[in-house]
Amino acid sequence: MNTQFNRTRPRGAALALALALATAGGAVVSMPQPVLAQSQQSAQPSLRVSKVSSVDDKSIDITFNEALGSDILQFTAANQAYAAQYIKVSGGVAGGADAALDGRPLSQVAGTTVRPVDTPDHRTLRVVLGADATLDGHTYELWFDGGSDKLGDLFFRSADGGVLPGSSTKQSTFRGTTQDAALATVSSAKQVDSRTVDVTFAGTVWSGMPVGAYTGSDITLKSGESSVHPVYVESLTGTSQRNYRLYFGADLNSDASYQLTLGTGLKLTTNAGAATAEVGATVAGGRGAYAAPEIAGAEVGASGDRIEVRFSRRIAKAGDLAVKETLTGVSGTNVTADQVRGLLRFTGLTTTSGQDVSQALRDDAAYFPDASTLVIKLDSGQTLKAGARGRVALAQGSVTDITGATSTNTSPVSVRAPRHFTSPGAGFNPNGPDYLKVNTHATTVFDHYDYQVSDDGVSVRSDGVANKVVGQTIKTVEVENKYIKATFAPGYGGRLLSMIYKPTGNDLFYTNPVGTPYGFSSKAPGTPGNSPFYQNWLMVYGGVFPTLTEAEHGKYWNVPWDYKIDQRNGKFSITVTKTDDVDYPYKPSKYVHGATGIKTAVTYSVDAHKPTLDMAVSLNNPSDQDKQFEYWTCTTLAPGAPTTSGSPTMSVVSPVKTVYRDPGYAWMEGVEQPAGPAGSGLLKLDKLKQMSNWTRDGIAYGQDLATMQQGNWWGVVNHENNEGVVRVGDNTKTPGMKFWEWGQNKSFDTNVYTKGNSARPYIELWAGASMKFFSPATLKAGQTLSWTETYLPTMDLGDVTNANTNGAAEVKVDASGNVTSRLFSTAIGQKLRATLVDATTGKTLDQSSFTGTANTAVKLKGKVTPGAQARLVLTDTHGTTLLTAESGT
């Protein structure tokens, strides 16, 4: 895996305190990825309460001796009722305003919340008391009490893993105050420069202030009869949610005096509650001109194949390309080589092969991890010369920032490559022996909100979900060879949970770090539900799994499947089976197939010599009557990242040219061009391949897979490192291809601890025996329908033209007839030959004899007559054709 610039990758921050606070209108801060609950605690617990103090008569600050762990910060930000279950305060006086503070859990004081305060050291949780309790000038005692649970298991941990020891803490004494909690007021507002104004509130503002691009009218600067609204609002980190910076789309009048008004529509909320009147302040004078965006610095990555360019401002447009940004600062906008060359000018930087940097770029040459950073990728096999010095400069007017200011500074910035390059690797030994290792006694822990199954034994209702996360231990089977490690969970939906590609250490799939039930029925218990799901609820886990015999996630996504294991001659297989004998009486009315009796068998197989995994599906109708049914394989894809992460740069790779958008998601009409008559729902598939263009969640269905010349595959590529995953199958038998995504903002702005919100950063593609949900297939009496799906990693590809079990290839011909191609083969370590030919004349354009590698693709190029096409052919040493990929089909 190529070196990543982890310090600038915003998603590491976005899944912590930042995302909950941002969506609530609070500060966006940098925090690490979540740390999941573990049963083992630190041998040397180091977390303790160092101070308890009253801020006003409605709030109590609990300050710890160390920075808090991201899990408790996330949990309390997302679920403000959570920590109150385990905090007790005593000292209230009978009959007084503080009488409720009698040692009971604060969750029993209605309306009490506990939230993290965005201090620079992240050591403080604040209790805001509900309406039934007010502090007085008395002495109180506060302590944590987990009851039968250890406090460390309840996420009360420090960033370094230390825990609050035991099940309860000693009592901490503090003095109350009679100072009234105050509604929102501005203590100061001042111009930073001609386009920015800093606003400081007198106290913490829990919610109400927007974050990010702003198009509203509740924030107003007025001078005389003229008024202006900001175009962007930034929350300043480490300021206890008090300081905000407003950006305006034009220069303010330096001679004018301005009045700031924050309207009631914002509902600015403090310890005292939501403001019911406008909040205003006089703005202090300006401090000079606004500085247009420019390059603030540039750095070469440790492996020498990446250059990170940092801008002085958040970029809204790079040339004609809109730079997307979520509330928590995640971008994921992909940039082509031509676009990079239009933005930047490189001088003095050459690769070890002698190429200028601008000519050594990948086709998918760069990406914005956040709106102020551009990471530029050199092509595989290209690195800068060690210790090389050069410069990079912006082209005139090439970037536009969030205020609309365009770059004017074209002065070059120095760039220097490290004297010694390092490659992170993953401990993979390509020369090691092939092997197969199986562990049938493995377990994994699925952390999820605790829930109770209803009396019907199937459904879960919203009132059955507790304010607590528990770890569910699931028995798994782990299988690994030299190339992959696969984890199967037959007891939880018969699923393939994970498939790690060992050369990079990254997973091809996504697994949910914190599950939460959602999608409940609102109908009365004991009556047919109206949930989107068969069981009247769902909880996302992840991986790859069969769904039957109804649409959506079917009937058996969370129940044990029968299974058997076979291992012989260097091959492993696990077969999971389920007979459809369930007819849940309270299912929503749209589920109509009943207990079909169809017998499903899914055999997952791993070969000691291959980096691929097969999933053979068999559906048998043993009855003497035809049966309507639905079968879908659900995949949660997020290659090139840890198992609980997904990249904002991900895109779908697919032969599909046209999709049918589900009628409920008309927003897609504003993203793609129509591919059929008005109202048909048919759209061209272009921009929706890119995750960052999913402005919200949605469903679409790929068209024509079963009739395509190169249509038996689809997958996802991560453009940060060009790792991918491809599913190969027989799409005459699985003609359905369903797209589901949560949307870019939901994926990266959702705190994983948010109760009831399952939005996560993956791309969900489905392979179906029918064309779309609630449009069944028919299995005739006695018929068996079977096929095999293969899941394989891809490396060093930005797109795919065709794929099969032997690999994947991309072939492109530009308008001038220039041909470029890449091929990644799964025949790692084998001698192979790639030949690029003119598809019309059969003339060889380029060829290469090579040995398949685990990390890179073979690259061939040539030229054909403009308008003609090219074909790439992979063969083995015997001349057997393993894969062909033809452009333009």
Side-chain angles (χ1 to χ4, degrees):
M1 178 179 176
N2 290 324
T3 298
Q4 302 293 308
F5 294 90
N6 288 320
R7 64 181 179 80
T8 62
R9 291 173 74 188
R11 75 171 180 274
L15 290 182
L17 181 58
L19 37 76
L21 296 181
T23 53
V28 180
V29 298
S30 294
M31 294 294 297
Q33 289 276 25
V35 178
L36 299 183
Q38 304 292 332
S39 59
Q40 294 183 344
Q41 298 178 7
S42 170
Q44 297 292 329
S46 58
L47 186 65
R48 57 182 173 80
V49 176
S50 62
K51 181 182 179 182
V52 177
S53 58
S54 55
V55 179
D56 51 44
D57 66 349
K58 295 298 294 182
S59 63
I60 306 165
D61 275 5
I62 307 170
T63 302
F64 296 84
N65 62 316
E66 294 188 5
L68 292 168
S70 62
D71 41 17
I72 190 61
L73 291 171
Q74 287 185 84
F75 210 148
T76 51
N79 185 343
Q80 297 163 15
Y82 172 72
Q85 302 170 96
Y86 311 111
I87 301 174
K88 297 180 177 180
V89 176
S90 67
V93 176
D98 57 359
L101 304 179
D102 56 3
R104 74 184 73 177
L106 289 180
S107 56
Q108 295 181 19
V109 181
T112 296
T113 60
V114 181
R115 290 177 269 203
V117 184
D118 180 27
T119 57
D121 53 14
H122 302 294
R123 294 168 52 203
T124 303
L125 299 179
R126 180 171 296 171
V127 176
V128 179
L129 298 171
D132 294 337
T134 301
L135 291 174
D136 211 334
H138 300 135
T139 298
Y140 301 92
E141 306 285 340
L142 179 147
W143 68 101
F144 287 80
D145 187 350
S148 61
D149 292 310
K150 292 182 178 180
L151 294 169
D153 288 339
L154 298 171
F155 302 98
F156 293 105
R157 309 194 195 108
S158 61
D160 64 4
V163 299
L164 280 175
S167 298
S168 62
T169 65
K170 294 179 180 179
Q171 295 181 348
S172 297
T173 302
F174 69 100
R175 185 76 177 176
T177 178
T178 56
Q179 179 178 328
D180 291 340
L183 295 173
T185 58
V186 174
S187 59
S188 69
K190 60 181 180 180
Q191 280 187 249
V192 178
D193 51 46
S194 60
R195 292 199 181 189
T196 59
V197 171
D198 276 4
V199 179
T200 301
F201 290 94
T204 296
V205 174
W206 294 116
S207 63
M209 280 298 286
V211 174
Y214 183 70
T215 58
S217 58
D218 280 307
I219 305 176
T220 305
L221 276 191
K222 189 171 184 180
S223 177
E225 296 300 315
S226 64
S227 62
V228 63
H229 309 292
V231 295
Y232 194 96
V233 180
E234 177 186 8
S235 178
L236 302 182
T237 62
T239 64
S240 300
Q241 292 103 301
R242 294 178 58 220
N243 292 10
Y244 294 81
R245 180 163 292 168
L246 312 179
Y247 292 81
F248 294 86
D251 288 337
L252 302 174
N253 187 340
S254 59
D255 296 327
S257 59
Y258 287 92
Q259 185 73 20
L260 170 69
T261 301
L262 304 174
T264 57
L266 295 175
K267 298 181 180 178
L268 299 173
T269 301
T270 64
N271 298 339
T276 56
E278 290 183 345
V279 176
T282 300
V283 180
R287 293 187 176 180
Y290 178 80
E294 59 186 13
I295 296 177
E299 179 182 343
V300 177
S303 57
D305 61 353
R306 296 184 174 226
I307 303 172
E308 179 191 83
V309 176
R310 300 184 304 279
F311 299 100
S312 61
R313 301 289 186 183
R314 282 186 176 87
I315 305 304
K317 290 184 67 177
D320 294 329
L321 178 69
V323 178
K324 306 291 180 65
E325 182 187 26
T326 72
L327 292 176
T328 51
V330 174
S331 178
T333 299
N334 290 323
V335 187
T336 67
D338 286 342
Q339 288 168 331
V340 170
R341 288 189 280 264
L343 298 174
L344 301 172
R345 301 289 181 262
F346 294 97
T347 54
L349 286 175
T350 57
T351 68
T352 53
S353 64
Q355 279 190 295
D356 182 80
V357 162
S358 62
Q359 300 306 312
L361 303 174
R362 295 188 60 90
D363 291 338
D364 56 335
Y367 63 95
F368 281 91
D370 56 68
S372 58
T373 309
L374 180 65
V375 176
I376 299 162
K377 307 178 295 181
L378 302 186
D379 205 349
S380 57
Q382 299 280 6
T383 60
L384 294 174
K385 293 180 179 179
R389 297 173 182 265
R391 297 180 177 183
V392 60
L394 277 172
Q396 179 72 34
S398 60
V399 296
T400 304
D401 74 10
I402 53 176
T403 73
T406 301
S407 58
T408 57
N409 187 349
T410 59
S411 301
V413 173
S414 295
V415 182
R416 181 176 179 177
R419 292 184 180 276
H420 303 283
F421 294 141
T422 61
S423 179
F428 174 73
N429 179 10
N431 300 315
D434 289 340
Y435 66 91
L436 191 66
K437 180 180 177 182
V438 178
N439 180 2
T440 59
H441 300 288
T443 60
T444 190
V445 175
F446 181 23
D447 284 321
H448 58 72
Y449 269 87
D450 197 9
Y451 62 87
Q452 291 290 327
V453 177
S454 303
D455 290 341
D456 61 22
V458 173
S459 67
V460 173
R461 302 185 69 86
S462 59
D463 57 8
V465 182
N467 246 341
K468 178 181 177 182
V469 166
V470 297
Q472 178 182 354
T473 299
I474 296 171
K475 293 181 179 180
T476 60
V477 177
E478 294 178 347
V479 182
E480 58 182 302
N481 62 21
K482 184 168 75 173
Y483 306 103
I484 62 172
K485 179 179 180 181
T487 300
F488 303 95
Y492 201 99
R495 73 184 63 210
L496 162 62
L497 187 60
S498 170
M499 182 175 169
I500 293 172
Y501 186 51
K502 289 186 176 181
T504 66
N506 290 322
D507 207 333
L508 303 185
F509 309 136
Y510 181 88
T511 53
N512 193 0
V514 184
T516 179
Y518 77 107
F520 309 107
S521 171
S522 62
K523 297 293 187 180
T527 59
N530 60 352
S531 165
F533 308 114
Y534 182 88
Q535 297 170 322
N536 286 310
W537 74 291
L538 189 70
M539 184 167 62
V540 170
Y541 193 7
V544 172
F545 58 98
T547 73
L548 58 141
T549 52
E550 296 279 6
E552 285 290 353
H553 292 248
K555 305 176 180 181
Y556 305 108
W557 58 271
N558 65 333
V559 301
W561 288 48
D562 294 329
Y563 72 97
K564 65 178 181 179
I565 290 172
D566 184 45
Q567 185 179 351
R568 67 183 78 179
N569 301 324
K571 294 184 179 180
F572 165 89
S573 66
I574 178 171
T575 299
V576 298
T577 57
K578 179 64 67 176
T579 297
D580 179 31
D581 55 6
V582 168
D583 189 9
Y584 175 45
Y586 308 126
K587 62 185 179 293
S589 60
K590 60 185 176 181
Y591 294 103
V592 298
H593 300 312
T596 64
I598 290 173
K599 297 179 180 294
T600 299
V602 176
T603 300
Y604 301 100
S605 302
V606 176
D607 188 307
H609 310 291
K610 297 180 180 180
T612 61
L613 188 150
D614 290 339
M615 177 183 180
V617 182
S618 174
L619 307 174
N620 170 253
N621 177 10
S623 77
D624 57 1
Q625 296 181 349
D626 295 353
K627 296 291 183 178
Q628 287 194 325
F629 74 101
E630 289 195 49
Y631 173 90
W632 295 84
T633 300
C634 178
T635 72
T636 57
L637 306 180
T643 188
T644 57
S645 299
S647 170
T649 70
M650 288 189 296
S651 64
V652 173
V653 290
S654 168
V656 167
K657 305 294 190 298
T658 304
V659 296
Y660 169 78
R661 62 103 178 151
D662 184 276
Y665 302 99
W667 65 266
M668 295 182 186
E669 305 279 357
V671 177
E672 293 286 22
Q673 296 296 313
S680 67
L682 295 174
L683 301 171
K684 294 179 180 179
L685 179 60
D686 179 20
K687 293 180 179 179
L688 285 178
K689 286 186 175 182
Q690 179 66 45
M691 186 178 192
S692 63
N693 289 326
W694 284 66
T695 58
R696 53 158 294 189
D697 58 26
I699 295 173
Y701 295 94
Q703 303 296 293
D704 306 319
L705 271 176
T707 58
M708 284 184 168
Q709 181 180 345
Q710 299 179 150
N712 281 329
W713 62 275
W714 41 252
V716 169
V717 166
N718 177 338
H719 292 279
E720 291 187 50
N721 48 32
N722 294 98
E723 296 184 34
V725 55
V726 166
R727 176 257 186 200
V728 174
D730 182 350
N731 285 334
T732 62
K733 295 182 178 179
T734 54
M737 181 187 180
K738 182 210 171 192
F739 295 67
W740 166 266
E741 293 187 37
W742 293 98
Q744 182 82 338
N745 277 79
K746 283 187 178 181
S747 293
F748 293 98
D749 289 341
T750 298
N751 185 318
V752 296
Y753 286 94
T754 304
K755 188 177 179 181
N757 188 344
S758 267
R760 299 291 187 269
Y762 59 84
I763 294 177
E764 190 173 288
L765 301 179
W766 299 61
S770 53
M771 286 299 296
K772 61 181 180 177
F773 281 179
F774 304 105
S775 177
T778 299
L779 202 58
K780 293 185 178 299
Q783 180 186 1
T784 297
L785 176 66
S786 60
W787 67 91
T788 298
E789 308 178 18
T790 299
Y791 293 88
L792 58 123
T794 67
M795 295 292 294
D796 201 20
L797 299 180
D799 204 345
V800 177
T801 302
N802 196 20
N804 64 20
T805 59
N806 296 309
E810 175 188 12
V811 186
K812 296 192 299 185
V813 181
D814 69 16
S816 300
N818 296 309
V819 184
T820 56
S821 65
R822 292 175 183 265
L823 183 148
F824 175 78
S825 174
T826 58
I828 298 170
Q830 297 183 33
K831 292 183 178 181
L832 304 165
R833 187 173 187 82
T835 305
L836 184 66
V837 301
D838 186 315
T840 302
T841 66
K843 176 184 176 182
T844 297
L845 305 175
D846 197 2
Q847 56 188 338
S848 175
S849 296
F850 66 100
T851 299
T853 65
N855 289 288
T856 58
V858 172
K859 293 171 283 187
L860 300 178
K861 60 183 179 179
K863 191 174 180 65
V864 296
T865 303
Q869 301 301 328
R871 181 184 304 117
L872 183 63
V873 182
L874 174 68
T875 56
D876 62 15
T877 55
H878 303 292
T880 303
T881 299
L882 303 178
L883 172 68
T884 63
E886 185 168 324
S887 63
T889 58

